[in-house]
């Protein structure tokens, strides 16, 4: 069996590909043989020229390589940016200064350390519905500290010299009832500013189901994870 080298194989492929092209040309350019041969030759020459420029040209391959490297580098940079953002988002702890909560897991009665034993002077319990004595809004207790646990800047803003004693009294984290249209979603307030409401079940707040599973007639029932933190409430 005769040996076919690469050049011969390429010529055979070109000839075979020219047959359907010649048939197509004959449908558009008539049946004149000389005309078909000329058009076919031009088609083969144009195809070969395009092939050599695209696949047998070092500059063309260099351009392809540059484009591929550019795309790879762009994807890598985007991936690194996403990774850096995710690490920052999950690792950063922000503190909001003001009457609202701080986004942290240690301040404003958000610490997950177990409150046991419960001091006798803590009057109220998680799950009880309260009303603010001065501002009149209602809400539900979701946490407490034996004394104010907040950034120093927040304490200075909240308690001027005349109210310094309040820092050492129990503080409660409250989910504010949205029905009050008070403008804030949470509050961190001293014990002396709240009083308990019995028999009020409806507290509207988007986080209620995260903290409570129901209402027993006197207070909201804590979810298991919250009950572990406040086992005596």
């Amino acid at each position: 069996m005769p040996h076919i080298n690469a050049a011969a194989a390429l010529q055979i492929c070109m000839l075979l590909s020219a047959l359907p092209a010649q048939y197509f040309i004959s449908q558009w350019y008539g049946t004149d043989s000389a005309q078909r041969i000329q058009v076919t030759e031009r088609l083969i020459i144009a195809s070969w020229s395009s092939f050599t420029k695209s696949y047998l040209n070092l500059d063309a391959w260099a351009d392809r390589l540059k484009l591929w490297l550019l795309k790879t580098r762009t994807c890598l940079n985007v991936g690194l940016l996403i990774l850096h953002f995710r690490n920052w988002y999950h690792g950063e702890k922000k503190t909001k200064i003001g009457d609202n909560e701080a986004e942290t897991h240690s301040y404003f009665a958000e610490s997950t350390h177990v409150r046991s034993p419960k001091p006798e002077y803590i009057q109220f319990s998680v799950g009880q519905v309260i009303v603010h004595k001065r501002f009149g809004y209602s809400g539900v207790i979701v946490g407490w500290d034996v004394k104010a646990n907040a950034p120093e800047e927040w304490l200075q803003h909240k308690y001027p010299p005349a109210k310094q004693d309040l820092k050492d009294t129990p503080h409660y984290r409250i989910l504010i009832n949205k029905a009050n249209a008070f403008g804030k979603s949470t509050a961190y307030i001293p014990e002396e500013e709240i009083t308990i409401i019995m028999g009020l079940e409806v507290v509207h707040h988007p986080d209620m189901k995260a903290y409570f599973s129901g209402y027993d007639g006197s207070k909201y029932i804590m979810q298991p994870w919250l009950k572990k933190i406040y086992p005596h409430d």
Side-chain angles (χ1 to χ4, degrees):
M1 184 174 180
H3 178 71
I4 300 177
N5 57 30
L10 181 61
Q11 292 176 358
I12 293 172
C13 291
M14 293 177 63
L15 290 173
L16 291 175
S17 64
L19 292 176
Q22 185 175 3
Y23 172 78
F24 175 79
I25 294 170
S26 67
Q27 303 300 313
W28 290 91
Y29 292 94
T31 58
D32 183 78
S33 177
Q35 186 179 17
R36 290 199 303 271
I37 292 174
Q38 291 177 359
V39 173
T40 301
E41 288 177 349
R42 288 199 298 270
L43 179 62
I44 293 173
I45 293 173
S47 299
W48 173 253
S49 176
S50 176
F51 177 81
T52 55
K53 289 180 180 179
S54 298
Y55 299 99
L56 300 182
N57 187 287
L58 292 178
D59 291 336
W61 281 105
D63 292 338
R64 287 191 181 90
L65 181 59
K66 290 179 182 178
L67 181 61
W68 179 82
L69 290 174
L70 179 61
K71 290 181 178 179
T72 302
R73 184 181 305 168
T74 301
C75 292
L76 180 60
N77 290 338
V78 171
L80 289 174
L81 285 174
I82 293 174
L83 180 61
H84 287 317
F85 176 78
R86 184 172 60 185
N87 290 339
W88 169 83
Y89 179 80
H90 291 290
E92 185 78 1
K93 291 184 177 180
K94 302 176 185 178
T95 300
K96 293 180 179 179
I97 305 302
D99 289 335
N100 211 343
E101 76 215 72
E103 296 177 356
T104 177
H105 294 291
S106 59
Y107 292 139
F108 301 93
E110 284 194 293
S111 173
T112 57
H113 80 268
V114 178
R115 310 302 204 276
S116 179
K118 182 178 181 179
E120 294 183 359
Y121 56 84
I122 302 293
Q123 296 185 32
F124 307 134
S125 300
V126 173
Q128 288 185 307
V129 179
I130 63 93
V131 64
H132 196 283
K133 293 179 180 179
R134 287 191 298 138
F135 300 131
Y137 63 78
S138 60
V140 59
I141 299 173
V142 294
W144 51 260
D145 291 319
V146 294
K147 64 179 181 178
N149 185 12
E152 186 61 32
E153 295 86 351
W154 187 91
L155 292 172
Q156 292 177 2
H157 170 81
K158 180 73 174 180
Y159 300 118
K163 294 184 177 182
Q164 286 293 304
D165 293 343
L166 286 178
K167 293 192 300 182
D168 296 325
T169 64
H171 277 63
Y172 297 83
R173 178 177 172 83
I174 309 297
L175 296 185
I176 298 176
N177 191 352
K178 289 294 186 180
N180 301 143
F182 188 67
K184 296 189 301 179
S185 62
T186 63
Y188 187 66
I189 49 185
E191 191 172 81
E192 72 165 28
E193 293 184 0
I194 62 176
T195 187
I196 296 298
I197 301 177
M198 300 298 293
L200 179 63
E201 177 181 355
V202 181
V203 174
H204 298 284
H205 193 282
D207 295 335
M208 286 295 291
K209 290 184 178 180
Y211 289 95
F212 307 108
S213 60
Y215 187 76
D216 66 4
S218 61
K219 67 177 183 178
Y220 283 91
I221 302 170
M222 288 183 280
Q223 293 283 10
W225 69 268
L226 190 59
K227 186 64 177 178
K228 290 180 180 179
I229 300 174
Y230 300 94
H232 306 298
D233 280 29

